[in-house]
Amino acid sequence: GAISNRVSVQGALDFNDITLVETQIEDGAFSGTATGGEESAAMTASMTGTFSGLLTGAEGTEAVGSILIEPEDTSVASSEIGVFVVE
């Protein structure tokens, strides 16, 4: 999957999509690696991270989760923390 249409809080910067690397679901839970997320115009440092979540809903067809993305370049002092819902 992917997280797309990403903009900064101020709305001034666009960011590349975050790709959620395919993973296994076990007992309704999942976790894996996330890549991407760089600022589109500046092409700043590569970003990697992790995500995790649970299947929800009466038939297990929805999901909720969290994601943490950090730059691979340790001189960049930013990171992203977020939540996602899939219906």
Side-chain angles (χ1 to χ4, degrees):
I3 300 172
S4 57
N5 300 322
R6 303 172 59 241
V7 295
S8 67
V9 173
Q10 297 84 9
L13 301 173
D14 290 324
F15 293 88
N16 292 332
D17 293 352
I18 294 174
T19 300
L20 305 177
V21 178
E22 188 174 329
T23 188
Q24 299 293 316
I25 299 172
E26 186 173 321
D27 295 328
F30 56 89
S31 62
T33 303
T35 61
E38 302 87 357
E39 181 186 334
S40 298
M43 294 307 292
T44 55
S46 295
M47 308 280 275
T48 59
T50 57
F51 68 92
S52 61
L54 297 170
L55 295 179
T56 64
E59 298 185 30
T61 58
E62 301 168 359
V64 295
S66 63
I67 187 164
L68 171 62
I69 302 287
E70 298 181 294
E72 292 177 9
D73 179 353
T74 57
S75 69
V76 176
S78 66
S79 61
E80 294 184 52
I81 300 170
V83 297
F84 59 89
V85 175
V86 179
E87 298 180 294

